[in-house]
């Protein structure tokens, strides 16, 4: 196994960090690695905002649903889908690009681009012995986040990422077995085999939670998912995205 694969397979989210900021060199390496990701038609449709200001971090931690590690970490990155730059390009080149910029297709492109960049950043950080945690809680209160970070039209904050030196070794969460997610030649639509697979995975996750909590947590993955999905969250997203001038057509 090479070092890259080892790093990838060693992933676990880290939520407690040493009080030790990242160096400028580390930050630059992480962002440069993010930028090295593939990008649809060379569009590079994302921005990354680095947050070091203590008060901004404190406010973001609150806005993200009181997640303390959003405040206490080595560095905080905010990943944004960004077509603002391309709006400026339209002005520079004297072309009306608004139909493209506001389309569902380009919205998907910008979200995909930003996410690929983020995962490169995560791997770069992890390969340097740092820990990371994605923060989707950033989308809890998008209007306030947008105001706090001065985010313009055609930009959508997607998630944050905390990075820093891990305080503890944490356990790894078991993923779905490979054959559950990897279909060969065509999509396996057989519901019965899907249900069997899910039972199989429930046993894996149940013993993971039992072990992690010395028998206290009895939970299955299907139970967890059904619980989560039965409470729809952030149902204002469509409206917010459109207000940002994205996904309108
Ligand atoms: C887009 C995204 C958003 C996430 N948001 C949060 C979050 O707000 N808070 C948090 O503690 N973890 C968050 N996570 C981390 C997931 O909970 C975590 O990746 C998942 O439970 C699997 O655990 P692992 O990363 O340790 O393998 C997020 C992960 C992703 C990919």
């Amino acid at each position: 196994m090479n070092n890259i694969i080892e790093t990838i397979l060693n992933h676990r989210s880290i939520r407690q960090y040493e009080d030790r900021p990242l160096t400028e060199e580390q930050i630059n390496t992480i962002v440069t690695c993010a930028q090295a990701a593939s990008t649809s038609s060379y569009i590079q449709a994302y921005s990354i905002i680095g947050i070091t200001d203590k008060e901004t971090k404190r406010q973001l931690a609150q806005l993200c649903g009181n997640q303390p590690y959003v405040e206490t970490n080595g560095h905080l990155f905010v990943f944004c889908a960004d077509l603002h730059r391309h709006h400026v390009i339209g002005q520079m080149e004297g072309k009306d690009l608004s139909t493209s910029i506001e389309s569902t297709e380009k919205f998907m492109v910008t979200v995909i681009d930003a996410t690929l960049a983020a995962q490169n950043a995560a791997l770069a950080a992890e390969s340097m012995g740092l820990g990371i945690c994605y923060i989707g809680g950033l989308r809890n209160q998008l209007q306030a986040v947008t105001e706090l970070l001065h985010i313009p039209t055609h930009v959508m904050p997607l998630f944050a990422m905390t990075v820093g030196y891990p305080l503890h070794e944490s356990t790894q969460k078991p993923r779905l077995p490979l054959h559950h997610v990897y279909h060969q030649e065509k999509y396996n639509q057989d519901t019965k085999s899907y249900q069997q697979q899910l039972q199989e995975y429930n046993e894996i996750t149940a013993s993971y939670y039992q072990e992690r909590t010395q028998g206290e947590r009895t939970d299955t993955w299907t139970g967890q998912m059904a619980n989560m999905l039965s409470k729809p969250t952030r149902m204002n997203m469509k409206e917010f995205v459109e207000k940002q001038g994205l996904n309108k057509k």
Side-chain angles (χ1 to χ4, degrees):
M1 204 183 313
N2 68 39
N3 292 345
I4 295 173
I5 293 175
E6 253 173 55
T7 300
I8 292 171
L9 294 180
N10 195 40
H11 165 77
R12 75 262 339 253
S13 293
I14 299 294
R15 297 182 177 86
Q16 282 183 303
Y17 301 96
E18 288 176 20
D19 183 14
R20 183 174 161 196
L22 265 56
T23 63
E24 201 179 322
E25 192 186 348
Q26 285 173 314
I27 295 166
N28 288 345
T29 302
I30 290 169
V31 175
T32 305
C33 287
Q35 290 187 269
S38 295
T39 164
S40 177
S41 307
Y42 200 25
I43 191 169
Q44 305 180 78
Y46 55 85
S47 283
I48 306 166
I49 306 174
I51 316 282
T52 49
D53 181 72
K54 280 196 162 71
E55 178 53 23
T56 309
K57 276 179 149 185
R58 193 191 61 75
Q59 288 187 43
L60 282 174
Q62 272 183 2
L63 292 171
C64 291
N66 294 317
Q67 301 198 56
Y69 32 98
V70 174
E71 186 174 353
T72 316
N73 50 58
H75 200 70
L76 183 68
F77 297 94
V78 172
F79 284 85
C80 301
D82 185 352
L83 287 164
H84 173 67
R85 192 176 287 115
H86 300 82
H87 177 71
V88 175
I89 289 172
Q91 291 170 340
M92 275 175 69
E93 298 289 331
K95 286 195 168 139
D96 179 6
L97 307 181
S98 57
T99 304
S100 268
I101 286 174
E102 297 184 349
S103 69
T104 295
E105 166 57 15
K106 286 297 172 281
F107 178 62
M108 290 178 72
V109 160
T110 179
V111 172
I112 293 167
D113 253 32
T115 308
L116 293 177
Q119 185 55 20
N120 258 20
L123 286 176
E126 289 177 333
S127 76
M128 290 154 74
L130 300 163
I132 69 108
C133 188
Y134 281 88
I135 306 291
L138 187 79
R139 298 191 305 279
N140 284 357
Q141 298 195 54
L142 275 172
Q143 189 52 41
V145 167
T146 303
E147 283 165 25
L148 184 64
L149 304 183
H150 296 200
I151 286 167
T153 312
H154 301 130
V155 179
M156 162 85 190
L158 295 175
F159 45 78
M161 187 187 290
T162 59
V163 181
Y165 290 89
L167 256 188
H168 313 286
E169 261 287 290
S170 58
T171 51
Q172 273 193 300
K173 277 189 186 167
R175 297 300 198 251
L176 286 157
L178 180 147
H179 63 278
H180 293 202
V181 297
Y182 183 62
H183 303 239
Q184 279 187 326
E185 311 307 340
K186 55 185 172 8
Y187 194 96
N188 171 18
Q189 286 197 36
D190 177 9
T191 309
K192 219 169 158 203
S193 82
Y194 248 89
Q195 284 179 355
Q196 266 167 7
Q197 289 183 345
L198 288 166
Q199 286 303 350
E200 192 182 314
Y201 188 50
N202 273 345
E203 283 162 29
I204 297 170
T205 47
S207 54
Y208 161 77
Y209 284 123
Q210 290 256 313
E211 236 168 78
R212 213 186 66 173
T213 63
Q214 279 87 43
E216 265 180 38
R217 183 166 172 183
T218 49
D219 209 351
T220 62
W221 189 69
T222 55
Q224 212 182 97
M225 292 302 111
N227 216 7
M228 175 183 72
L229 298 173
S230 62
K231 298 174 205 131
T233 53
R234 304 176 191 143
M235 293 303 287
N236 60 339
M237 206 55 61
K238 189 170 188 292
E239 199 184 314
F240 181 84
V241 168
E242 283 180 13
K243 188 195 74 72
Q244 287 303 100
L246 297 164
N247 195 25
K248 289 170 77 172
K249 299 169 183 161

